[in-house]
Amino acid sequence: MTVPGRRNLAQVSTGPPGSRTFEPVIPVIEKTLATAAEEGVGDARQLEQLLARAVANWAFRAHRRKPLIIPVIIDA
């Protein structure tokens, strides 16, 4: 997803160079953002909630644990 004046989603940091820690969750984030765009969701708070929920669900499925803190960064 490319927005004029913003970084390409593919350029989102995935941790330290050479780290593959967050690679499995990137498709979840991309799908959530695409769905939000299709539905016309543009409010930062709504996007934050959708992303937090999607990442929490992924983390629970992947690790069978409920995350306590999910940092969400949205460029404004």
Side-chain angles (χ1 to χ4, degrees):
M1 169 184 261
T2 303
V3 176
R6 302 267 174 111
R7 292 185 298 169
N8 186 329
L9 186 57
Q11 296 173 341
V12 172
S13 175
T14 57
S19 172
R20 297 180 188 263
T21 304
F22 298 106
E23 280 186 10
V25 77
I26 290 175
V28 173
I29 294 170
E30 291 174 338
K31 182 179 177 185
T32 302
L33 289 174
T35 302
E38 288 173 8
E39 294 176 0
V41 176
D43 180 55
R45 180 70 179 143
Q46 288 177 315
L47 286 173
E48 182 180 350
Q49 289 174 341
L50 290 171
L51 288 170
R53 191 174 303 126
V55 172
N57 287 336
W58 169 82
F60 180 76
R61 286 191 316 272
H63 304 289
R64 294 291 181 219
R65 294 179 184 210
K66 293 183 180 179
L68 297 176
I69 299 173
I70 298 180
V72 176
I73 300 171
I74 299 176
D75 288 338

